[in-house]
Amino acid sequence: MRLIVVLAGAFGFITAMAGSLSFNKPLEISMVNGIVSALVAGLLLRWWMKIWISCLEQVSREDAWSEQQAQTDDEVPQ
């Protein structure tokens, strides 16, 4: 997960720097924009990954529960 957050931060930094420099902004402003963008991109992706992982865990628990229910239903004599 750390690698993904670092990659998101790097992507945010490079994108903001390229955008600022393409609009002929000073280097200092471009660096600040890049740093802020890297922070925001890293935090957003970390938040999204936590939600995604918790959803995957929930689906896995539900699958295990339904499988257990199916086994229990098969064992009950009718």
Side-chain angles (χ1 to χ4, degrees):
M1 186 156 146
R2 288 180 185 163
L3 177 64
I4 294 172
V5 172
V6 169
L7 290 175
F11 178 73
F13 181 79
I14 291 169
T15 304
M17 281 288 293
S20 292
L21 291 175
S22 68
F23 286 111
N24 296 326
K25 299 219 175 173
L27 183 59
E28 297 83 17
I29 293 176
S30 298
M31 289 290 284
V32 171
N33 288 343
I35 291 169
V36 170
S37 179
L39 176 67
V40 169
L43 289 175
L44 282 176
L45 192 71
R46 183 177 176 186
W47 168 75
W48 181 79
M49 287 292 294
K50 283 185 177 183
I51 289 175
W52 186 57
I53 289 171
S54 68
C55 289
L56 287 176
E57 289 172 346
Q58 180 182 359
V59 167
S60 177
R61 282 192 303 269
E62 289 174 357
D63 286 346
W65 182 81
S66 65
E67 190 174 305
Q68 186 180 18
Q69 274 306 107
Q71 287 177 349
T72 306
D73 291 343
D74 290 342
E75 293 173 0
V76 175
Q78 295 185 7

